[in-house]
Amino acid sequence: TRVGALVPAAGRGERLGGGTPKALRPLGGRPMLLHAVETLLSSTLVSQVVVAAPPTLVEVVGQILGPRVRVVPGGAERVDSVRAALEALDDDIGVVLVHDAARPLTPAKLVDAVATTVLDGHPAVIPVLPVTDTVKEVDADGRVVRTPPRDVLRAVQTPQGFRRDILYMAYANRDLPVTDDAGLVEALGVPVTTIPGAEEAFKVTRPADLVLAEALLAQFAP
Ligand code: C5P
């Protein structure tokens, strides 16, 4: 079974600030997206990478990433970007990884672990870590509704891996308000398997995340 990877990279990065779309913000002197894509390409299990770029930057992103990567215009929401990338996968891809451009320091061994677990017969696989903050559910007025016990909560990372047919079905059903791909798969009633995530696979969202990413990168490659 061939494994393909989709990279939604069409977000504006408003929480990060700075104007440039997040995927193209430099990290260690190179666009954040390039780090994520190079990790995927370095996996011997991944044989195709499709990136959803901001629509006005499809050509620029194509030049940055080179001929091994297909680049398509992304959409208004992350789900629209993933759907656009899904359409561009080769027909014989049977397992799909969905990986945020905004997780530039994700270790290659995490990519391989997710892909291997799907190839072993699990239809949907997500990397997770225990949460460190207590998490509360609140209502529209900000009043606390409940406090789930922290030990049953997990923070979810990417890449998330799926059997292609399952992801396709999940995306046929897209009007659900979800922030991760596995959420759509859960709504189908398909079991989702968790594997241990990696600290370095954190998402660069706010300015302090970029500072941390730069510092870690400098430590890996002095
Ligand atoms: O906004 P957030 O940090 O959760 O975005 C996660 C990933 O989804 C990022 O890689 C971002 O570029 C991508 N995205 C996208 N299209 C959108 C919004 C976000 O590809 N419309």
Side-chain angles (χ1 to χ4, degrees):
T1 309
R2 287 182 73 211
V3 178
L6 311 181
V7 185
R12 287 190 298 272
E14 280 164 358
R15 286 167 295 179
L16 191 57
T20 326
K22 181 158 72 174
L24 297 183
R25 287 291 291 276
L27 177 66
R30 299 178 322 137
M32 188 139 58
L33 169 65
L34 187 56
H35 293 269
V37 167
E38 281 182 350
T39 302
L40 292 167
L41 290 173
S42 77
S43 165
T44 53
L45 294 170
V46 173
S47 65
Q48 187 188 15
V49 177
V50 180
V51 170
T56 56
L57 296 174
V58 170
E59 281 195 15
V60 177
V61 169
Q63 271 160 15
I64 291 169
L65 299 179
R68 291 182 63 193
V69 178
R70 192 172 295 175
V71 183
V72 300
E77 304 291 336
R78 188 181 179 284
V79 283
D80 303 312
S81 298
V82 174
R83 157 135 348 97
L86 197 50
E87 297 296 329
L89 274 180
D90 288 345
D91 287 341
D92 61 346
I93 296 284
V95 169
V96 184
L97 307 183
V98 186
H99 186 43
D100 291 331
R103 298 181 189 272
L105 302 184
T106 303
K109 68 177 194 317
L110 184 62
V111 175
D112 288 342
V114 172
T116 303
T117 309
V118 182
L119 290 166
D120 283 349
H122 298 270
V125 177
I126 62 175
V128 301
L129 288 179
V131 298
T132 52
D133 290 328
T134 295
V135 176
K136 292 192 188 286
E137 181 179 336
V138 296
D139 66 16
D141 300 322
R143 210 161 313 153
V144 172
V145 177
R146 65 174 69 84
T147 307
R150 194 171 61 188
D151 60 356
V152 302
L153 297 176
R154 298 290 181 271
V156 180
Q157 302 181 320
T158 75
Q160 302 188 353
F162 306 96
R163 248 172 48 199
R164 183 199 184 131
D165 58 332
I166 299 267
L167 189 63
Y168 209 85
M169 271 193 281
Y171 269 86
N173 199 2
R174 70 140 281 194
D175 285 334
L176 301 160
V178 292
T179 52
D180 78 330
D181 308 289
L184 290 170
V185 170
E186 282 156 50
L188 294 177
V190 172
V192 176
T193 304
T194 63
I195 65 168
E199 294 286 351
E200 315 91 279
F202 70 92
K203 183 155 63 88
V204 174
T205 304
R206 293 180 285 236
D209 300 324
L210 204 50
V211 175
L212 176 62
E214 289 284 7
L216 288 171
L217 197 63
Q219 212 181 359
F220 295 151

